[in-house]
Amino acid sequence: MTVSPEALVTAAGRLLRPPAGSVHTLAPGLRARASAILLRMALDQALDDYWRRITRSMTRIGKHRMLCLEWYAGSDTARRCRTTWAALSAACHYRTYELPPTPAEVGARLLEVTALLAALRAAPDTTSAARSAKP
Amino acid sequence: MTNQPSGAPDSSSATSGSLRNHLLERLERSGLAPEVRTLLRELLPNERTQSSGKRAGPVQLRSITAAGWRGVGPRTTLELPPGPGLVVVAGPNGSGKSSFAEAAETALTGVNSRWKGRRARDWQAGWRNLHSPDVTPEVCVELSVGERGERVSVRRTWYGTNVDEARTRVQAEDGSERKLEEVIDAEALELTRPFLPYSELGAMINGTLGGLHDAFFKLLGLELLAEFDARVKTVVSECDQAVKESDALTAELLEELATLDDSRAREATAALSGAKPDLARVRALLENRTPAAQGELARLRQYASLAGPDLKEVEGAVARLREAAADAEEARHGSAEDARRLARLLEAALDHRRLSRSTDCPVCGAENRLDRAWAEQARAEVERLQMEAVEAEAARKAVTTSVRAVHDLVQPVPVWLRGETSALASVWQDWVVCRDITHPRELADRAERAAARLDDACRQMREEAGRRLAEHDGAWQPMAVRLAEWLRVAEAAEAARDRRAHARKARAWLRPIIDELRDERLRPFAEQSQEVWQKLCEHSSVTLGSVTLAGTPGRGRVELDVSVDDMSAPAYSVMSQGELHSLALSLFLPRATHAASPFGFLVIDDPVQSMDPEKVEGLARVLDACARDRQVVVFTHDTRLQQAIAHLGIKATVLRVSRQTNSVVRVETFTDPVKQALVEARDISCDPNLPQEVADHVLPAMCRVAVEAACLETARRRLRDEQGLGLKDIEERIASLERTKQYVSLALLGDDRLSARDAVERISPGGWALIDAFNSGAHEPLSTVDARKDLVARTKILATAIRRSAVRGAGSRGGAR
């Protein structure tokens, strides 16, 4: 499975906003949820790529990876990753009594993921990583 | 917000001093008519002396206490961390969070916004906690006031069952009584109200936002403009009033005048009924200077004062004349001449006798006739005759005198009567003719008759004229009074008409200037509002364009340029509840965080409700931005805000409020920046799959963050409580910190230039080495989970010790912890 995160984002976008004329059998809520899953996969993969450039075997715990990210990719990127990741996780879980995410909401996340992919690709940038040590 | 608009902050106090001058300057350049400029200059209000001189210093919250108040039974205190920062007070519905929010507002303002508006009675009845009838209801806020961060408590206690039956006591730390207005600027409390209760959050976006408009107007230092405009407006309406009054009176008078048959009434009607009443004509009329009225009136007056002959005198003179005439007639028989002649003859005879000594008559020649007896007789005769002559003479003279006297009584025909051919004139002529009659009897008869007839005619004429005059004046007099009154009103109206024209011009000139100035000054606020909105509703289809103030002060409104997918629409109709709340926040924050606000805190009650996840993230960012230089206390039952704060890594203190049975409310610190950092560090330290190089890089940094957070809180507390520094000074000192050791020095010693090594070792042995170890590379390799855990554990001990040092030092009462 060697699909690039960007390809996943494109697929998510297509699912969210089907090209005109296409017939879709899925309800918008379902499509939004599916799209959220793709987006989270994209973000995970981008993070994998990122960490591979730092260390051979980064922990698989998503939260930890993102907490550590702050000290490599800078606090802003790290916090945005975490927020987006958390939001996408919430959106792709199917809970009986919760409303599915709205396409608009996932659409907003899509933009965020696109921006994050760019940020993560540019890193690792050791200068923007954690403040230089200071006793 | 941290980035206060650069233009606005000083505009309220500093540049409003020049607002008046600015207006005067523009007035000079305006090219308006001199009268208009004079009017404007005269109306331009004086600069109100700003109360900023005695304004109380910045105010921050230390704690909020409630007892027997709404959801809170026994006395409970909500302790707030010092300095700026975000505090989230979380708790389930009904846990008493909002009771604290309301307690703070009530203690400071004496009112609660829930008590206003609908259902106010229910709120007013339910203010008291039902579970604790024995607790004296009280709300209290402890404040840090002024440049010295003085501890002042504002306590409101109730002595009755009514919500108004309360008194507020303000007490300084040393127990001395203070006045509330010394501590809290009531005007600022209204203008830059730091409270945003839930009820207002939903109700803020109503039709006009009039209150917000007026608050902005004052905040922007535009009160002067508002007053100026109001004054000009008043002049216009006053003048309108005067003109209207005059017009009404004119119509009324015209009606009344129409009922009057009088030349003056006609004259007045003519003067009044033109397009513009002829005031000069009315004035002349009232002063009797009109030619028409003058002629007739003068004639009537002359008739009225017509004086005929004096009948009594005429009668007397005629009687005297008759008497004299009778005397003279009697005397005519032995007329004076004859008597004198005879007397002269007899005298000559007597002389002859005496000289000739003869007794013979020289005339008839008879002898001895002129004897002694004759002589005596003749002498007597001479005397008698002489007397008779004198009498006759006198009678003639008397007749002449009497005739003249009668003649003298005859007056000539009055000049104004001459040339008239009236009956009176001919009668008078008869009377005048008497002058030419010399025959006494005829004169007497004619004069008597003529005088009587003339007198009669004159009297008739006089009476007639008098009657007509009285008739004339009787109807006219009240009208003249009315006219005089009208004249006064009309004169005022004429002046008002001019003034009104000037005032209207002035207003037309002023209006765009007001708009311009207020738009100019509002711009930074509007931009801030848009900024907040964008953060909150980044991907909403609704965009907030310009925020402008419109209308006139007092009847103003805030206009929001809201558009949905580029189509403009009224805010209220297109926005979801969450968006309305966001909008309310967008408008509330710039106002409450205005630089002129003395309040270093914001209290917002449940802004999270009805916001979608994205907005909650936006909200967290917005609150974080505000919290950089302010205490932001947010009450919420929604856990999403806490989540967003955690995910976004926003430093915040989360207090949890829980309510047990009988309204026993507990407040505990759920998390704070120190705890946040420690928890994150511990999570990482426990992960066995974390590669060592990452752990080495990340963990010491995370631990350092925890210690620095502990230092910040401690330093703020110590500087405030021990050194009596104000908010500004403290934040300046903190902003200059760079190295962790400086943080520690400031926290423990209150001075970042000193070395805190000994102090650290005293409160936490080995702490100094730990601080050194935060320096990457200076620590033991963190190859094992145990080593990592140990680092975090030691950090926790150090952080706790640092925080305790100030709490102990300040002797804090720590009600919440």
Side-chain angles (χ1 to χ4, degrees):
Chain A
M1 149 145 174
T2 51
V3 187
S4 75
E6 282 79 6
L8 287 170
V9 171
T10 311
R14 208 173 292 133
L15 204 53
L16 211 52
R17 280 184 289 273
S22 60
V23 182
H24 25 74
T25 48
L26 296 176
L30 272 179
R31 276 187 281 119
R33 183 170 285 140
S35 159
I37 294 169
L38 288 177
L39 286 175
R40 200 181 79 166
M41 278 169 68
L43 191 55
D44 275 334
Q45 249 179 59
L47 281 167
D48 279 347
D49 292 347
Y50 182 88
W51 282 116
R52 253 198 300 282
R53 276 174 279 155
I54 304 281
T55 175
R56 275 178 294 112
S57 64
M58 186 54 185
T59 173
R60 298 304 306 165
I61 299 175
K63 180 179 159 193
H64 295 174
R65 299 205 308 174
M66 273 174 293
L67 280 176
C68 291
L69 190 64
E70 183 167 348
W71 307 98
Y72 290 90
S75 130
D76 182 55
T77 306
R79 296 303 180 176
R80 268 163 56 211
C81 267
R82 193 171 166 198
T83 313
T84 310
W85 194 86
L88 288 171
S89 296
C92 52
H93 282 127
Y94 181 82
R95 293 193 186 87
T96 315
Y97 296 109
E98 258 178 36
L99 294 170
T102 65
E105 193 189 328
V106 179
R109 301 296 175 193
L110 185 141
L111 297 174
E112 188 81 340
V113 170
T114 312
L116 282 171
L117 294 192
L120 290 173
R121 200 164 285 292
D125 175 4
T126 35
T127 54
S128 79
R131 293 172 296 175
S132 48
K134 37 159 196 163
Chain B
M1 315 258 79
T2 47
N3 50 340
Q4 265 298 331
S6 51
D10 47 0
S11 60
S12 65
S13 50
T15 60
S16 69
S18 65
L19 184 58
R20 190 170 193 273
N21 293 338
H22 175 78
L23 284 170
L24 282 172
E25 205 178 286
R26 290 186 71 150
L27 193 55
E28 287 316 306
R29 287 188 277 118
S30 63
L32 288 170
E35 295 91 342
V36 180
R37 271 189 281 174
T38 312
L39 178 74
L40 277 168
R41 254 198 301 276
E42 163 194 323
L43 290 178
L44 184 58
N46 277 321
E47 212 65 60
R48 207 168 324 156
T49 42
Q50 290 274 337
S51 57
S52 56
K54 60 176 273 292
R55 181 168 286 189
V59 178
Q60 284 212 322
L61 293 174
R62 286 170 183 249
S63 69
I64 304 168
T65 303
W69 164 257
R70 312 224 343 98
V72 181
R75 189 186 169 87
T76 312
T77 297
L78 191 76
E79 208 59 62
L80 296 166
L86 178 58
V87 179
V88 176
V89 182
N93 279 329
S95 61
K97 315 176 298 295
S98 290
S99 302
F100 283 112
E102 284 163 22
E105 192 185 350
T106 307
L108 287 182
T109 65
V111 291
N112 184 297
S113 51
R114 268 183 166 170
W115 296 342
K116 295 182 260 176
R118 282 180 299 167
R119 312 215 40 157
R121 204 175 296 166
D122 289 356
W123 289 112
Q124 284 181 18
W127 63 275
R128 205 184 172 116
N129 185 269
L130 296 173
H131 292 125
S132 39
D134 48 332
V135 176
T136 307
E138 138 181 5
V139 291
C140 173
V141 283
E142 251 193 337
L143 307 169
S144 283
V145 176
E147 295 308 325
R148 313 283 305 160
E150 192 189 357
R151 183 196 289 259
V152 176
S153 66
V154 179
R155 190 180 305 271
R156 194 169 171 82
T157 45
W158 278 263
Y159 49 82
T161 53
N162 201 309
V163 77
D164 297 326
E165 291 171 330
R167 68 171 72 84
T168 301
R169 266 188 89 195
V170 183
Q171 223 170 5
E173 194 170 8
D174 55 11
S176 63
E177 197 92 14
R178 299 281 298 272
K179 281 198 179 114
L180 185 62
E181 55 268 27
E182 286 172 9
V183 176
I184 301 284
D185 185 333
E187 199 189 26
L189 196 59
E190 195 175 311
L191 289 185
T192 59
R193 215 160 82 90
F195 299 99
L196 182 59
Y198 182 68
S199 53
E200 229 163 276
L201 194 64
M204 193 158 161
I205 314 298
N206 56 19
T208 61
L209 298 166
L212 186 68
H213 173 279
D214 292 355
F216 267 133
F217 224 83
K218 281 187 186 167
L219 262 185
L220 300 177
L222 297 173
E223 271 169 301
L224 183 93
L225 281 182
E227 200 185 331
F228 195 14
D229 185 57
R231 285 189 184 185
V232 177
K233 201 170 132 193
T234 310
V235 169
V236 172
S237 62
E238 273 172 5
C239 291
D240 263 340
Q241 193 59 39
V243 169
K244 224 176 265 170
E245 196 188 331
S246 160
D247 286 350
L249 198 58
T250 305
E252 211 175 286
L253 265 184
L254 277 174
E255 234 166 75
E256 286 173 29
L257 282 169
T259 63
L260 220 62
D261 180 28
D262 186 306
S263 65
R264 289 167 298 182
R266 281 188 292 280
E267 169 78 10
T269 307
L272 253 63
S273 49
K276 207 172 161 236
D278 191 341
L279 296 186
R281 228 164 132 185
V282 175
R283 212 173 289 132
L285 177 67
L286 284 175
E287 289 164 16
N288 269 325
R289 286 196 280 106
T290 51
Q294 209 170 8
E296 196 184 327
L297 267 183
R299 183 151 292 273
L300 272 182
R301 288 232 172 78
Q302 276 164 336
Y303 279 127
S305 60
L306 190 62
D310 187 331
L311 263 193
K312 254 191 200 142
E313 257 181 58
V314 172
E315 268 165 23
V318 165
R320 277 193 296 281
L321 177 63
R322 285 216 170 95
E323 206 177 310
D327 284 353
E329 241 158 76
E330 220 168 84
R332 191 170 296 165
H333 291 289
S335 91
E337 280 306 307
D338 291 350
R340 254 182 237 280
R341 210 171 349 128
L342 197 56
R344 268 198 308 270
L345 185 66
L346 284 177
E347 253 177 4
L350 281 172
D351 272 355
H352 173 77
R353 183 186 161 258
R354 187 173 42 95
L355 291 173
S356 66
R357 299 193 186 266
S358 138
T359 52
D360 301 336
C361 171
V363 180
C364 66
E367 289 175 2
N368 283 333
R369 291 294 293 268
L370 310 182
D371 57 8
R372 194 172 198 79
W374 173 85
E376 274 167 19
Q377 205 185 334
R379 193 155 286 125
E381 184 66 11
V382 164
E383 269 169 30
R384 196 194 54 85
L385 280 172
Q386 269 175 348
M387 189 116 68
E388 204 170 84
V390 168
E391 268 170 19
E393 193 104 322
R396 220 174 55 214
K397 257 187 198 153
V399 168
T400 318
T401 313
S402 297
V403 166
R404 193 172 301 131
V406 171
H407 281 172
D408 280 351
L409 283 175
V410 176
Q411 308 111 305
V413 180
V415 184
W416 51 271
L417 208 58
R418 281 174 207 166
E420 258 185 45
T421 48
S422 61
L424 178 66
S426 65
V427 171
W428 202 297
Q429 199 54 47
D430 286 350
W431 170 236
V432 171
V433 168
C434 292
R435 252 195 144 148
D436 300 333
I437 301 169
T438 46
H439 190 272
R441 263 188 210 289
E442 195 191 339
L443 176 64
D445 293 350
R446 291 266 303 264
E448 195 171 32
R449 236 179 8 252
R453 277 178 59 201
L454 181 58
D455 180 60
D456 202 37
C458 279
R459 202 180 53 244
Q460 271 183 30
M461 194 51 92
R462 221 173 21 241
E463 276 167 10
E464 167 73 11
R467 212 190 68 243
R468 279 180 61 194
L469 263 183
E471 199 174 72
H472 217 150
D473 286 343
W476 176 250
Q477 209 49 47
M479 188 52 75
V481 172
R482 301 267 288 145
L483 261 184
E485 183 194 317
W486 175 87
L487 192 62
R488 214 188 54 244
V489 172
E491 274 166 355
E494 202 172 28
R497 234 181 275 269
D498 287 350
R499 202 169 152 82
R500 181 175 61 176
H502 297 153
R504 280 189 179 146
K505 278 209 187 81
R507 202 145 186 246
W509 174 79
L510 193 57
R511 186 51 56 78
I513 289 181
I514 292 180
D515 289 349
E516 179 197 316
L517 284 174
R518 96 183 149 186
D519 285 353
E520 187 181 296
R521 292 193 175 188
L522 184 68
R523 199 169 303 126
F525 282 86
E527 281 164 8
Q528 248 181 303
S529 283
Q530 283 165 305
E531 219 173 276
V532 173
W533 171 261
Q534 262 162 17
K535 275 191 194 164
L536 286 174
C537 302
E538 207 169 348
H539 301 290
S540 168
S541 58
V542 180
T543 46
L544 176 63
S546 61
V547 176
T548 44
L549 299 180
T552 49
R555 291 179 59 184
R557 56 190 189 275
V558 176
E559 273 180 1
L560 304 168
D561 173 21
V562 171
S563 51
V564 188
D565 295 327
D566 299 327
M567 283 181 292
S568 71
Y572 202 69
S573 62
V574 296
M575 287 190 171
S576 69
Q577 194 62 36
E579 281 165 338
L580 283 175
H581 284 190
S582 303
L583 185 57
L585 265 175
S586 308
L587 295 173
F588 165 79
L589 288 175
R591 173 179 160 193
T593 57
H594 187 270
S597 165
F599 304 105
F601 65 90
L602 300 177
V603 176
I604 306 176
D605 193 8
D606 224 335
V608 191
Q609 277 185 56
S610 62
M611 286 189 176
D612 57 34
E614 256 193 281
K615 286 199 188 65
V616 177
E617 280 166 36
L619 175 69
R621 287 201 182 93
V622 166
L623 294 176
D624 183 38
C626 286
R628 265 174 225 149
D629 52 8
R630 275 194 161 70
Q631 277 181 317
V632 178
V633 186
V634 179
F635 293 82
T636 179
H637 75 271
D638 198 318
T639 51
R640 292 179 305 161
L641 182 62
Q642 292 172 63
Q643 262 174 32
I645 283 169
H647 292 158
L648 288 167
I650 291 170
K651 290 190 173 60
T653 303
V654 178
L655 303 177
R656 284 228 167 140
V657 179
S658 55
R659 187 158 172 261
Q660 292 137 6
T661 48
N662 293 334
S663 295
V664 177
V665 173
R666 269 171 57 89
V667 181
E668 55 197 342
T669 307
F670 176 69
T671 183
D672 54 45
V674 183
K675 215 165 165 183
Q676 276 175 329
L678 284 172
V679 166
E680 286 179 3
R682 215 199 42 230
D683 282 355
I684 297 292
S685 73
C686 294
D687 186 346
N689 292 322
L690 196 74
Q692 191 197 326
E693 67 258 44
V694 176
D696 282 344
H697 182 64
V698 166
L699 266 181
M702 291 178 119
C703 290
R704 194 187 63 220
V705 169
V707 168
E708 285 180 1
C711 288
L712 275 188
E713 187 201 313
T714 310
R716 285 192 175 116
R717 206 180 285 280
R718 191 181 299 281
L719 293 178
R720 183 188 72 185
D721 293 343
E722 291 177 15
Q723 299 194 6
L725 288 185
L727 174 68
K728 207 175 118 224
D729 292 338
I730 294 175
E731 292 312 306
E732 262 170 27
R733 303 270 292 267
I734 281 170
S736 71
L737 297 177
E738 276 174 19
R739 289 137 46 92
T740 313
K741 282 179 178 169
Q742 287 177 317
Y743 277 81
V744 178
S745 298
L746 189 65
L748 294 183
L749 307 171
D751 187 346
D752 59 294
R753 288 160 303 182
L754 301 175
S755 166
R757 181 185 194 128
D758 295 345
V760 168
E761 289 303 315
R762 201 162 42 244
I763 59 167
S764 175
W768 195 249
L770 182 64
I771 294 167
D772 274 331
F774 294 155
N775 213 346
S776 64
H779 53 81
E780 299 291 310
L782 300 168
S783 52
T784 62
V785 167
D786 284 344
R788 296 173 194 172
K789 278 184 173 168
D790 179 54
L791 178 70
V792 177
R794 276 158 58 210
T795 303
K796 189 175 179 182
I797 290 168
L798 176 61
T800 312
I802 289 172
R803 295 174 87 183
R804 278 226 187 97
S805 73
V807 173
R808 206 185 302 127
S812 165
R813 285 174 281 169
R817 285 165 222 278

